[in-house]
Amino acid sequence: MSDRRKPEAADDLRRRLDRLTLSRQEGFRRMAEAPPRPRPEPLTRRQLKALSDAARIEYDRLRRKWHANLGPLETPQMAALHEDLWDIVNSNDQDGDKVKGAIALDAFPGLGKTTAVLSFAKKFHRQRIVEEGEFTDEGWDRMPVCRVGLTANTGMRDFNRGILEFYAHPGRFRGTAADFGYRALDCVLSSGAELVIVDDLHFLKFRDRNGAEISNHFKYIANEFPVTLLLIGVGLAKRGLFDEGEDFEDAAIAQTGRRTTRLGMEPFTVDTEKGRRDWRDLLLAIEQRVVLAGKTPGMIADELSDYLFARSTGHIGSLMTVINRGCQKAVRTGAERLDEELLNTVKNDAASERARRELEAAFASGRRTSRPRKRAA
């Protein structure tokens, strides 16, 4: 029986999702088809005190889960990326005899690349299920998306095995790289897959033997698999993914670059009025989602704007880490609100902390501001 047809409650679906990785189709399907997490009811401090011990424990548990999963937020960067992805993926809806262009999302860490791609993949999965039906013409469960995560020293055989692991193919344990490749193609065709996501591509060294094997294999997938390849990584251009190549050994890498559209994501900036408005809109969206009894209008978007930009340097991953950990501490300590004093006790990633002091000095001196001019006035 198809997993999606089992009568599971939403809470049970999420609990099971926690115990699965997105490298297996069961986990990916549950992520894509799980209903939105219900937001805990906001309570005042008086209402909090009126709760019984058991009710308070349960309420705080719900808030812990909620604050740990505040995203994804529809930022301008994510919206722009999704527009490009729809354009490219839809333009690849060609007949099977045509080679489909690949996509490479190349950006610094902490900008929400994987989060943005998974948000798109969820929409793509649901759209294709509605358009094409839950089952393929052969009666298999339709699985429009396949995701493979790479590790260091991944070779062609390991990559093919990753696809087989996603589908839990019984032949994933034994065989040659070619055997695994044929089985992977069979899985993709049987499931009706149209999008293959390859995460952490930067683990590959494109100039060594494994990198050349994988690059050749990407070419093979583009030629033989009726899918769009979506590659995610850091510093892919510097690693040679888009190089033209100067000799025969570089030819496969050059061809991969010719067939691949490079996309990126940028951090938030506060050097322009538009950038400051986008930053404020992001903070307002976060403020609306936070469930704390002592929350007041402007607690995040006004009172903490400069502070949070300095703590995150405009990287949404670092920002959400500070917010999540701050909310957890605010609930646990009974503070029930976010302010600089509480957030100063929250640790963040090393890269953001290194750049923090210089930004804080610029904001304190008035040389920079993260607030739109009308708000600042």
Side-chain angles (χ1 to χ4, degrees):
M1 175 184 284
S2 170
D3 183 76
R4 72 175 67 86
R5 290 182 285 138
K6 296 178 181 178
E8 294 176 317
D11 287 344
D12 180 57
L13 194 63
R14 291 190 194 91
R15 282 195 293 270
R16 296 180 65 185
L17 176 63
D18 291 340
R19 291 168 174 78
L20 284 169
T21 70
L22 297 180
S23 296
R24 298 294 293 271
Q25 63 176 340
E26 297 90 350
F28 189 92
R29 178 182 292 135
R30 286 170 187 152
M31 181 278 294
E33 299 182 0
R37 185 181 300 274
R39 181 171 179 250
E41 179 186 358
L43 300 179
T44 65
R45 291 183 184 272
R46 178 175 296 181
Q47 290 172 320
L48 271 184
K49 291 180 179 179
L51 294 176
S52 65
D53 290 344
R56 178 63 183 270
I57 290 173
E58 175 61 14
Y59 182 65
D60 287 350
R61 183 189 73 83
L62 292 174
R63 290 197 292 172
R64 182 178 71 246
K65 288 282 190 180
W66 173 257
H67 289 137
N69 298 277
L70 281 179
L73 298 168
E74 191 74 11
T75 64
Q77 293 90 331
M78 181 184 290
L81 175 65
H82 284 192
E83 280 294 307
D84 290 334
L85 291 177
W86 281 120
D87 288 343
I88 298 170
V89 173
N90 286 341
S91 70
N92 277 346
D93 196 7
Q94 303 157 317
D95 294 335
D97 60 332
K98 295 181 175 63
V99 176
K100 301 180 187 300
I103 307 165
L105 178 54
D106 185 10
F108 287 114
L111 297 177
K113 298 185 299 298
T114 299
T115 299
V117 166
L118 289 178
S119 175
F120 172 81
K122 180 176 180 178
K123 296 175 183 177
F124 182 82
H125 174 96
R126 293 187 169 194
Q127 183 199 72
R128 289 302 193 259
I129 293 295
V130 170
E131 291 178 350
E132 306 291 342
E134 294 185 359
F135 305 100
T136 65
D137 293 340
E138 292 75 25
W140 299 99
D141 282 347
R142 186 177 302 281
M143 197 66 203
V145 179
C146 171
R147 178 194 172 275
V148 181
L150 298 187
T151 59
N153 299 319
T154 298
M156 187 169 68
R157 184 176 184 274
D158 302 312
F159 178 79
N160 288 337
R161 186 166 185 257
I163 296 178
L164 297 181
E165 283 285 354
F166 182 83
Y167 293 104
H169 192 284
R172 65 190 183 276
F173 300 111
R174 292 184 180 180
T176 65
D179 293 335
F180 284 0
Y182 295 136
R183 294 166 192 164
L185 176 58
D186 182 60
C187 287
V188 167
L189 293 175
S190 299
S191 67
E194 300 179 51
L195 178 66
V196 174
I197 299 171
V198 184
D199 208 349
D200 294 325
L201 192 67
H202 49 271
F203 282 134
L204 291 181
K205 295 180 180 178
F206 285 93
R207 295 303 179 190
D208 70 7
R209 179 173 174 273
N210 282 346
E213 281 185 350
I214 292 290
S215 187
N216 271 320
H217 197 53
F218 288 161
K219 175 186 172 185
Y220 166 72
I221 290 176
N223 287 336
E224 304 297 333
F225 287 45
V227 299
T228 298
L229 267 176
L230 174 48
L231 314 173
I232 310 172
V234 177
L236 300 182
K238 292 182 179 179
R239 285 171 168 79
L241 178 63
F242 311 105
D243 287 354
E244 288 289 344
E246 298 178 354
D247 51 39
F248 179 78
E249 292 182 356
D250 291 337
I253 296 176
Q255 192 166 23
T256 299
R258 282 289 182 179
R259 292 177 175 176
T260 304
T261 301
R262 182 186 178 190
L263 302 178
M265 293 185 74
E266 298 296 330
F268 284 86
T269 62
V270 293
D271 299 326
T272 65
E273 186 67 9
K274 181 182 183 305
R276 290 187 287 268
R277 287 199 304 269
D278 289 342
W279 177 250
R280 177 172 171 78
D281 289 342
L282 172 64
L283 296 186
L284 285 171
I286 294 172
E287 183 177 300
Q288 184 180 23
R289 296 192 182 198
V290 165
V291 182
L292 297 173
K295 183 178 75 172
T296 54
M299 179 186 72
I300 293 176
D302 292 333
E303 299 171 20
L304 294 173
S305 180
D306 289 350
Y307 175 85
L308 288 173
F309 191 88
R311 288 295 306 268
S312 66
T313 62
H315 288 63
I316 191 169
S318 302
L319 171 66
M320 298 310 293
T321 296
V322 172
I323 294 293
N324 176 16
R325 294 176 181 175
C327 288
Q328 306 297 347
K329 177 162 284 191
V331 170
R332 190 174 64 255
T333 62
E336 292 293 338
R337 64 173 282 108
L338 299 180
D339 54 33
E340 290 190 27
E341 182 179 358
L342 181 140
L343 292 177
N344 278 333
T345 67
V346 171
K347 302 298 187 294
N348 201 9
D349 62 87
S352 295
E353 291 301 316
R354 282 196 300 270
R356 174 183 177 184
R357 300 306 173 190
E358 182 178 349
L359 282 171
E360 285 181 334
F363 287 133
S365 66
R367 288 183 287 114
R368 298 188 72 177
T369 180
S370 65
R371 307 179 187 191
R373 289 173 183 171
K374 292 183 179 179
R375 299 295 307 182

